Every structure is written in C-alpha cells, then in structure tokens.
Amino acid sequence: MATFLYKLGRFAFRRRHFVALIWVALLTLAGVGAASAPAAGPSSFSIPGTEAQKAFDLLEQRFPGMNANGATARVVFRAPDGEKVTSASHKKVVEKTVEELSQGSEVVSVADPFTAHAVSQDGTIAYAQVSYKVSGMELEDASKDALQQAVQNARDGGLTVEVGGDALTAVPETGATEVIGIVIAAVVLVITFGSLVSAGLPLITALIGVGIGVSTIGALASALELGSTTSILAMMIGLAVGIDYALFIVSRYRAELAEGREREEAAGRAVGTAGSAVVFAGLTVVIALVGLAVVNIPMLTKMGVAAAGTVAIAVLIALTLIPALLGYAGRMVKPTGEKNRLLGGGRTAKRPDRPNMGTRWASFVVRRPVAVLLLGVIGLGAAALPASQLALGLPDDGSQPASTTQRRAYDLLSEGFGPGFNGPLLVVVDAKASDHPKTAVTTVVDDIKAMKDVTTVTPATYNEAGDTAMVTVVPGSKPSSTATEDLVHGIRDAGSRITADTDAKVLVTGSTAMNIDVSQKLNDALVPYLVLVVGLAFLLLIVVFRSILVPLKAALGFLLSVTAALGAVVAVFQWGWLSGLLGVEETGPVMSMMPIFMVGVVFGLAMDYEVFLVTRMREAYVHGESPGQAIVTGFRHGARVVTAAAVIMIAVFSGFIGSSEAMIKMIGFGLAIAVLFDAFVVRMALVPAVLALLGRRAWWLPKWLDRALPNVDVEGEGLHTPPDDAPKDQDEDRQLARA
C-alpha cells in the first residue's frame, strides 16, 4: 500500500492542475445538486420490530383517515390568577381563537376545549388540539404564522397562551460557537506549523470535503428522507477528521523536507507513510459509523452512513488534494523547524539538539510506566463512576429550555391535567380474530383501569369494521418516569393473557411507548454492535501493526475512555454539573441513542490516534530500534502533531455545544470530552506505559498468522529502498490516472 500511495502522492503533486480541477468540479456538482434538489421532507422515524411500530402500522391500515403523520399543536390557555377560563369573557376569547385556528388551508380539525372536555377541574386551564394534514417539517410558514398570530390575539385578550406539539418544529441551529471552534483550530494549526500557508491547507481541504459531503446530503435529503440532524453530524465529524488527516500528511511532508528530500519526493513519501495511517484510521471510523446499521433504526443508519461518506471524502482529499496544494504552495511550506517570516523569521530553532516535549514525556513514561498506568486508570475510573447511574430516554417538550413556548405549554398541561397528560399511551386492540371483539375490548379497558398509576382511560373508539379499537390511557406519572415505563410493561403483560383467552391482540403505542421501545432496542443492540465494530477493527489493526497485544491494548483503552466520557455526560446532562456554563437549561435522562452513537464515533476517532502514534513506533521498531527507544522516537515525531490534532478535534466538537438541538449539544460535548480523555490520557499516557511494560512482546505475532496476513506496509518499508530513480515518466502518470 505504501508504494501505491507514494506513487499517488507524486502523481497528485505533479499533476496538481488536473487533481484540483476534479475536486472543484465535484464541489460544484454537489453544490448545484443541493441547490436544485427539492426541499427535504420529514425524516421518517420508524423502529422496525417494536410493538409500538407494529401498533402504529396497524392504525394506518384500520383507521385510514387518522392522518397519524400530521403535525399537531396543543394551544394551552390559562386564565389570570383568581379567574377561570370558563368565565364569559375568557370563553369568548378561546372560542374566537378556535375559529381563527380552523381557517388554515392545512388544518384538518380543531377540538374546541369546551365541547371536547379539555378544561381542568379547577377551570383555570384549557387546551385546543389542532391537527394538520402534513408533518411539522412540511408545514408551510403561512400556517405557522397563522398559528402564532391566533395565539398572540388570545394573549392580547388577557389570557396566558402557549403552544406545544410539533407544529412549530424548527431546524436546529448550531450557533456562533461552531465558528469559534474553527477559529481555535486555525490558531492551533498556525502554532503547530509556524506557517500561515501550512496551517491554511488542512482548513481549506477540510472545508472542501465537508462542502461536498453536506451538499451531497442536501441533494439526496428529499429522496432518502434525511433530516437536518444528519447534515449537522456529518459536518461535525467531517470537519474534525478532515483537518486531522490533512494535518498528518502536511506534518510528514515537512519532516521529509527537513531530511533534505526534493518536494515531489517528499510529497510522495508523506502520502506513502502518513497516508497509509490515514487510510486505516479512516477505515476504522467508517466501520464504526456504518456498523450503526446493526441497530436496525433507519434514522440512525442514515446518520451513520452519511457521516461515513463524509469521512471517506476526507480520506480521499488528504491523499490527493493535499499533495496537489503542496505543489502549488512550493517553498511557502517550510521544513520542520523553520517558521514563516511573519511568525519567527524563517530560521531554525535556536537549540535544535534539545529534546522536544514529546521526547521528554515519553522518556519519563518509559522510566515510570507502572505509576503512569495506575494514575491514568484510576483517574478514568473515577470519571466513569457517574455512568453507573445512566438513565436513558428520548426528548419531549419537557426537556426543552424553560424559555420556549413548548416547555411552558408542557408545564401548564402538567399543572392542569397531571404530569402523565403530556405522554398518553395509545392502546390498540386488534380483535379481528376474536369471536367477541367488543367483549375483548371491554376486558382490556377494565384491566387497565384496575392498574396502578392510571389516571384516565377514555372510552374505546372503533374502526368502521368494528374489529379494532383505540383506547387512550393517561398515566399518573410523567412520560420519562420509571412508573410510566412499568405501566407500559404491565399493559403488555396483561395483553398477553387477554390474547390467550380471547385471541385479541393488545398493542401499546404513542410517543411515550415509542421512546421506551427505542431505549430497549438500543440497549439490546449495544453488545452486538460492540462485538461487530470492535471485532472488525481489531482484525484490521492486527493487519496494520502485525501484533496481537497492541490492538487488544487499543480496544481496552477505548473502553476506558468511552466509559469515562459517558460518566461526564451523565454528570452534566443528567445531574446538572456545570450545566449553566455549558448552556444546559434542562437536565433529564440521557438520549437513548447517545451511548451507542458515542461508542461508534469515539471508537473510530480513538483508533485514529492509535494508528497515527503507534505506526511511528512500529516504523522505528521495524528499522532496528529497541522497544523503549521506539516509543520515544514515535513520540518525538508524532506527539506534537497528535496533540494538535486532538485539540483541533476537541475545538470542533465543542463548537456544536452551542446548538439549539439538545441531541447535537449532547453529542458535541460527549465527543469533545471523549477525545480529551482518549488522546491525552489513554494514547499519550497509558499506551506508552503499557508498551514499555510489554517490551518486545508488544510486537509478537504467531509465525503462522504472520505468513497468512497480507503485508500492507503501513510503515513504508518498501520506500526505504531509495526511489531516487523511481519512475517519473508519463507512463506512471497514465497508470495512476487509469487507477
């Protein structure tokens, strides 16, 4: 592989106009596709195989006029203190508002609170349910404006009015902190390279890669039902890995220049060595992201595949566009140790023989491996302790910031009708196979009424055929509570007994039941996902490092860092530690998909640093250095760059903490803290400590396995037969162009 990538790097350097033109054309094509594509529709959220999804599908078949996918708005009215919403003046305002709400072209129905019995017992709170023909994401701005205008008119009439539901769903915003993250990345690159041009190359190529990836997602969003969250996550991960991969190539190029090589030769060797690490690091990220398909939640699969595509683009850009731009930059990119005149005068360091920080740190760890290992493991173990209290759930209006109308409507409904009113359960009784359908439904209703934590059970609503019924159950506890989850399981257990007696099937659905099923499905999929992703990456790393213990150590270190990161997420988003500093207005359960998504992404990124750092050690060991000296050599060449890459990735991920979307905020924080733990504790401390303790055993591989594995030559051993007479003719160009 190193030889092929070496030739590819020289080809891109020499044929820079051709390579640059291809990438510009791809960026233009993706941009035009995104601009001309139809607006993205709603992203379907289905959970195949769950009871909640089966019930939802059954409702669509047996109650075709329900319009279950349509947006809803709960307009909640509250009378001033000491007054009732049922008084003549306030009742008139509510009725006028209902009339205004029913006039929209996309409105299906509006339930008058006074005829629908939607008034609290004390008469202070009422709500009107508005149903629309289309989903919240498809709802026209005119319909949203009409809703907000009707609400404002009611407020002007003296009532407190808030709106819940998904009718006012907005596209999440990432905020200015995303830009701050990119600015921090730029500063780190300038400090690392001491050159504005060298620092600019990773930023430019990363932005091009993200532009192509996100534009492609935009072009396919409507056809593939990709939500706005998909493009944000692709941007987050694409920016981070795009900058990092380019950083490693440029850094190795400058190191090759410092050894006196010509620029084209240096570009080829940089791509052949660091590029090999980029390829395998990118593969681990792609495996982790595509592996999310094992969960069998379409939305999560789409997010993973889209992000994986952006990572693949980042790898291709690092291997081709970076050497091409290095060709354009010429002498403006300085060898390692030299600085741009604006940043230090274009001179070498004053004390070139002094060991750098990486060398000094690695030497310390090699001398004190046990102390470093114990300190790192104990520290990460302490950070991981909160993860033992992890509670999972999916967000509802109750997790919205207190400043939003959705959250205020949620609180008003809880006050007027009880906390469970915000998460009613929809029980579907399929009595088609029963000899006495109505008797079966009556049995279900009676059993549910007798259950603990049930506030209200509505009369059954039958379909036209009379063989299927819907029953709404209002729990006594809030949607995300353990009591409500127990109630769902209790209804399902009772349904199993009823099915045995009457042949009628009892299914529980609704947003609350759906959230419970998603959490359970994600929990069940976590272990198979870990086995699949870690197993595949373990085999890949055996090929890369030609060792058994090094990949095993890498996997164990990842488990430490990801568990510690989950502990930090629990402490901030569930317990509320530092919540004010991070803009977390409402604490609650951690989002159900957070652990498995975090495991996938963090594993891929952790293997990035493992590959970049340890391949340098492996390279030194293969070339004859002792195990301890190879560790020091790897840190001398790689520690500064890996540190810079980690700081950049942390800055990029932290930039998304300012998002208005709770899921994006949580993922941004989780990934940032995970990279902090993994790069600076696991890879920079635990890895050299373990390797120092293992010595030569770290690089042991059974002879039979060594013969069976393909030789991918990540260390660039094939390039050390000096290719000064390497082919530079046009036949090589044509060969690579065909490849």
Side-chain angles (χ1 to χ4, degrees):
M1 174 177 285
T3 303
F4 171 78
L5 293 178
Y6 162 78
K7 294 178 181 179
L8 178 63
R10 291 185 57 178
F11 172 82
F13 186 96
R14 191 162 56 253
R15 294 288 181 258
R16 61 189 73 105
H17 302 310
F18 173 70
V19 173
L21 182 62
I22 289 178
W23 284 111
V24 170
L26 289 174
L27 179 61
T28 303
L29 184 64
V32 171
S36 58
S43 53
S44 60
F45 187 77
S46 61
I47 314 117
T50 61
E51 180 173 317
Q53 186 64 46
K54 292 176 182 176
F56 185 81
D57 295 339
L58 182 65
L59 286 175
E60 288 190 327
Q61 295 174 8
R62 307 283 175 86
F63 295 85
M66 276 189 61
N67 195 35
N69 289 323
T72 59
R74 277 183 171 179
V75 182
V76 187
F77 306 89
R78 180 176 184 173
D81 291 342
E83 301 180 25
K84 294 184 181 294
V85 77
T86 53
S87 67
S89 59
H90 294 323
K91 186 175 181 180
K92 185 176 180 181
V93 172
V94 173
E95 289 174 342
K96 183 180 178 182
T97 303
V98 170
E99 183 180 352
E100 291 177 7
L101 291 171
S102 62
Q103 292 175 356
S105 60
E106 293 182 311
V107 175
V108 175
S109 64
V110 181
D112 188 316
F114 302 110
T115 59
H117 306 290
V119 181
S120 63
Q121 288 186 353
D122 61 4
T124 60
I125 298 173
Y127 73 91
Q129 180 97 1
V130 186
S131 300
Y132 293 89
K133 299 177 182 177
V134 296
S135 68
M137 296 300 293
E138 293 176 301
L139 204 61
E140 294 180 357
D141 290 338
S143 296
K144 295 182 180 181
D145 293 341
L147 172 61
Q148 292 175 327
Q149 184 60 51
V151 168
Q152 187 58 49
N153 292 340
R155 289 171 179 162
D156 294 340
L159 296 174
T160 298
V161 188
E162 305 296 345
V163 183
D166 60 350
L168 295 181
T169 300
V171 176
E173 299 174 356
T174 53
T177 51
E178 177 190 347
V179 178
I180 295 174
I182 296 176
V183 171
I184 293 174
V187 172
V188 172
L189 287 169
V190 171
I191 294 173
T192 302
F193 289 135
S195 167
L196 294 175
V197 175
S198 299
L201 292 180
L203 281 176
I204 292 171
T205 53
L207 290 173
I208 291 174
V210 167
I212 294 173
V214 173
S215 297
T216 303
I217 291 172
L220 300 175
S222 177
L224 300 181
E225 297 183 349
L226 303 177
S228 57
T229 304
T230 303
S231 60
I232 293 176
L233 290 174
M235 181 189 303
M236 180 193 302
I237 297 172
L239 270 177
V241 301
I243 294 174
D244 278 7
Y245 294 166
L247 167 64
F248 285 107
I249 299 287
V250 174
S251 177
R252 187 61 183 253
Y253 172 76
R254 296 177 72 237
E256 295 292 340
L257 289 179
E259 294 182 8
R261 304 192 191 280
E262 294 296 327
R263 293 186 177 273
E264 182 180 329
E265 177 69 12
R269 286 178 175 263
V271 176
T273 51
S276 297
V278 165
V279 169
F280 283 99
L283 273 176
T284 60
V285 180
V286 169
I287 287 172
L289 291 171
V290 174
L292 291 170
V294 76
V295 184
N296 195 26
I297 295 180
M299 184 187 76
L300 195 60
T301 300
K302 292 173 185 177
M303 288 165 53
V305 171
T310 307
V311 171
I313 292 171
V315 171
L316 292 174
I317 282 182
L319 298 178
T320 56
L321 187 56
I322 282 292
L325 293 182
L326 289 172
Y328 283 117
R331 298 187 179 277
M332 289 187 288
V333 176
K334 306 294 183 182
T336 299
E338 292 188 18
K339 295 183 178 180
N340 186 283
R341 292 185 182 278
L342 294 175
L343 301 172
R347 59 183 181 276
T348 56
K350 292 181 180 179
R351 290 183 289 176
D353 296 332
R354 181 187 178 188
N356 62 19
M357 180 64 74
T359 301
R360 296 197 297 273
W361 169 250
S363 299
F364 169 77
V365 175
V366 169
R367 290 195 306 270
R368 301 285 188 273
V370 175
V372 172
L373 182 62
L374 288 176
L375 187 62
V377 171
I378 292 171
L380 290 178
L385 285 177
S388 63
Q389 303 297 318
L390 177 66
L392 298 178
L394 286 179
D396 54 22
D397 285 348
S399 62
Q400 296 274 1
S403 58
T404 62
T405 186
Q406 290 94 335
R407 171 60 188 279
R408 291 195 292 264
Y410 179 97
D411 292 340
L412 285 175
L413 288 171
S414 296
E415 178 185 342
F417 302 93
F421 191 79
N422 284 290
L425 307 175
L426 186 59
V427 178
V428 182
V429 183
D430 179 7
K432 193 171 185 177
S434 177
D435 295 332
H436 304 285
K438 292 191 176 181
T439 302
V441 173
T442 301
T443 302
V444 172
V445 172
D446 291 341
D447 282 2
I448 294 175
K449 285 181 178 179
M451 289 182 179
K452 184 181 177 181
D453 203 46
V454 173
T455 299
T456 305
V457 180
T458 64
T461 301
Y462 291 87
N463 64 340
E464 290 185 5
D467 57 11
T468 307
M470 293 187 302
V471 179
T472 300
V473 180
V474 178
S477 304
K478 64 181 182 179
S480 59
S481 67
T482 304
T484 301
E485 183 176 348
D486 291 341
L487 176 60
V488 170
H489 293 312
I491 295 174
R492 288 173 173 170
D493 291 341
S496 299
R497 295 193 301 271
I498 292 169
T499 300
D501 295 338
T502 66
D503 292 326
K505 296 179 181 177
V506 180
L507 305 172
V508 185
T509 188
S511 60
T512 301
M514 192 77 80
N515 290 351
I516 292 171
D517 286 351
V518 169
S519 299
Q520 186 61 49
K521 191 175 182 70
L522 289 166
N523 284 338
D524 293 343
L526 185 57
V527 172
Y529 175 71
L530 271 172
V531 171
L532 173 68
V533 172
V534 176
L536 288 175
F538 182 78
L539 295 176
L540 186 66
L541 292 178
I542 289 178
V543 175
V544 173
F545 296 126
R546 308 196 78 77
S547 164
I548 297 293
L549 296 179
V550 170
L552 180 61
K553 174 258 319 165
L556 294 176
F558 151 73
L559 291 176
L560 269 176
S561 58
V562 78
T563 308
L566 278 174
V569 169
V570 169
V572 173
F573 290 89
Q574 190 174 313
W575 293 357
W577 294 6
L578 302 177
S579 57
L581 180 64
L582 297 173
V584 180
E585 297 188 33
E586 187 65 29
T587 59
V590 173
M591 263 172 267
S592 300
M593 64 180 62
M594 181 68 188
I596 198 163
F597 186 83
M598 195 167 158
V599 163
V601 176
V602 173
F603 181 77
L605 300 180
M607 294 308 103
D608 276 3
Y609 299 119
E610 181 76 14
V611 170
F612 289 133
L613 195 59
V614 180
T615 48
R616 267 294 197 172
M617 300 178 192
R618 169 74 181 172
E619 185 177 343
Y621 179 76
V622 167
H623 295 153
E625 294 186 8
S626 67
Q629 186 57 42
I631 295 171
V632 175
T633 300
F635 268 76
R636 181 172 69 248
H637 291 295
R640 179 182 177 90
V641 180
V642 169
T643 300
V647 172
I648 288 169
M649 200 169 276
I650 292 169
V652 172
F653 288 148
S654 297
F656 289 85
I657 297 176
S659 173
S660 62
E661 177 73 22
M663 178 178 171
I664 299 298
K665 181 188 290 287
M666 189 179 292
I667 288 177
F669 172 80
L671 294 183
I673 200 71
V675 171
L676 177 68
F677 289 151
D678 195 86
F680 292 105
V681 181
V682 174
R683 308 304 153 190
M684 288 292 182
L686 301 188
V687 164
V690 172
L691 290 178
L693 290 172
L694 290 175
R696 295 186 182 277
R697 289 169 295 181
W699 308 108
W700 171 79
L701 186 69
K703 291 184 179 180
W704 64 267
L705 185 57
D706 186 42
R707 291 191 297 268
L709 292 177
N711 183 12
V712 295
D713 191 20
V714 176
E715 301 85 14
E717 179 66 21
L719 303 182
H720 284 268
T721 49
D724 293 333
D725 57 343
K728 299 183 180 180
D729 55 17
Q730 296 185 0
D731 288 341
E732 178 188 332
D733 295 345
R734 287 194 293 269
Q735 180 183 358
L736 282 166
R738 287 195 299 270

